[in-house]
């Protein structure tokens, strides 16, 4: 049985093309706004990362519904791995066009990996090549967006100094990957719904913005970091409330179980 319980491409009310447009346009717009506006507005990079996270999560749910199962976490980590390589390469040679160059390079890498997965490994998933292109592109935009939050720009030197050299790139790798892989991994099953899964992606992307905002305090100062975190908290609260409402909509019942019994109580 497939991870999604259907053995085929996942369906939803929002077409893939619409979500892809949101991810690409919103992601790049947020990255460029965060770069060119004053440092206090670097949270725009995080908003762009949230748009890309939603796109990546939707691509994961579509390809994973064919039966990846335990491969869902792996494909999320793969997305950010491709994203780091493409981001640093694009920013190092692209200048102002760095994010666009990185995005194109990521798409090429994703296409090659998708072809290898189907043609060499023999996974036989019809949308594997397209999905890997999308996931690589989304992962790259997440890396770039969160890097802008921390460094205040996508200047290659600044990103290396304030994101890579101090190890924050590992933090971005984990929180960005979780935003892309976790929504479907947490919602998979025969009752998985696209809107509920993608709202969870917004919530996870907001958490990433909060964490990146905290990390930005060492470079951008407490005021800018506080604004980054505040914007992230507001988005998180909205997304969490909406996701909980969708859970109650889809669940047969939502009950409180209380604390787990202690070993003494079980005896």
């Amino acid at each position: 049985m497939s991870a999604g319980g259907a053995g085929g491409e996942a369906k939803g009310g929002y077409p893939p093309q619409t979500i892809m447009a949101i991810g690409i346009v919103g992601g790049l717009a947020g990255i460029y706004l965060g770069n060119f506006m004053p440092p206090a507005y670097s949270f725009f990079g995080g908003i762009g990362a949230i748009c890309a996270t939603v796109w990546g999560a939707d691509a994961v749910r579509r390809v994973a519904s064919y039966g990846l199962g335990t491969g869902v976490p792996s494909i999320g980590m793969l997305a950010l791995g491709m994203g780091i390589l493409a981001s640093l390469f694009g920013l190092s040679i692209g200048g102002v066009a760095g994010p666009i160059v990185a995005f194109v390079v990521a798409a090429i890498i994703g296409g090659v990996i998708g072809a290898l997965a189907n043609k060499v490994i023999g996974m036989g998933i019809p949308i594997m090549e397209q999905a890997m292109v999308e996931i690589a592109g989304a992962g790259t935009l997440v890396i770039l967006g969160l890097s802008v939050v921390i460094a205040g720009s996508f200047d290659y030197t600044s990103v290396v100094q304030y994101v890579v050299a101090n190890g924050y790139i590992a933090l971005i790798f984990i929180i960005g990957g979780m935003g892309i892989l976790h929504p479907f991994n947490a919602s998979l099953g025969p009752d998985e719904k696209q809107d509920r899964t993608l709202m969870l992606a917004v919530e996870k992307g907001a958490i990433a913005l909060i964490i990146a905002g905290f990390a930005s305090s060492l470079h951008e100062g407490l005021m800018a970091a506080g604004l980054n975190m505040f914007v992230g908290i507001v988005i998180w609260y909205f997304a969490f409330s909406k996701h909980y409402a969708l859970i109650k909509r889809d669940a047969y019942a939502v009950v409180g179980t209380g604390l787990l019994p202690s070993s003494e109580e079980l005896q």
Side-chain angles (χ1 to χ4, degrees):
M1 185 176 70
S2 76
E9 184 175 359
K11 305 298 181 182
Y14 303 103
Q17 296 80 6
T18 300
I19 298 176
M20 184 187 305
I22 292 173
I24 297 174
V25 176
L28 286 173
I31 289 166
Y32 275 98
L33 283 172
N35 177 76
F36 289 113
M37 294 187 74
Y41 296 94
S42 63
F43 63 80
F44 277 111
I47 295 175
I50 292 174
C51 293
T53 298
V54 172
W55 175 31
D58 186 66
V60 166
R61 74 180 289 271
R62 282 186 281 114
V63 68
S65 65
Y66 281 92
L68 284 183
T70 54
V72 176
S74 301
I75 205 170
M77 293 293 99
L78 179 62
L80 272 292
M82 293 185 288
I84 289 174
L85 292 175
S87 297
L88 293 178
F89 177 78
L91 296 183
S92 67
I93 69 169
V96 175
I100 297 174
V101 174
F103 180 77
V104 172
V105 170
I108 295 172
I109 295 174
V112 171
I113 291 179
L116 289 173
N118 261 355
K119 303 298 190 298
V120 178
I121 300 177
M123 297 188 71
I125 297 176
I127 65 167
M128 176 59 81
E129 290 88 346
Q130 174 188 337
M132 291 311 299
V133 169
E134 292 187 48
I135 291 169
T140 298
L141 295 180
V142 169
I143 289 287
L144 291 171
L146 295 179
S147 294
V148 167
V149 174
I150 295 174
S153 75
F154 56 67
D155 174 71
Y156 178 71
T157 302
S158 297
V159 170
V160 169
Q161 180 178 356
Y162 298 114
V163 179
V164 178
N166 57 16
Y168 281 148
I169 191 67
L171 177 70
I172 290 177
F173 182 91
I174 297 299
I175 60 178
M178 286 296 293
I180 289 177
L181 73 89
H182 177 71
F184 184 75
N185 205 41
S187 307
L188 59 82
D191 61 342
E192 186 266 343
K193 298 291 191 299
Q194 184 194 43
D195 57 353
R196 192 173 80 240
T197 297
L198 297 188
M199 188 54 63
L200 184 57
V202 175
E203 190 253 351
K204 290 294 171 285
I207 291 176
L209 172 53
I210 295 169
I211 296 174
F214 179 79
S216 70
S217 61
L218 295 179
H219 169 56
E220 297 186 37
L222 294 178
M223 182 173 296
L227 184 57
N228 289 335
M229 295 173 66
F230 175 76
V231 172
I233 290 170
V234 170
I235 297 174
W236 173 85
Y237 179 79
F238 166 79
F240 182 84
S241 301
K242 181 63 176 178
H243 183 249
Y244 184 56
L246 293 173
I247 289 174
K248 292 192 290 184
R249 178 200 69 184
D250 296 336
Y252 173 77
V254 179
V255 297
T257 60
L259 296 175
L260 294 175
S262 64
S263 57
E264 291 79 9
E265 292 172 328
L266 292 174
Q267 295 175 356

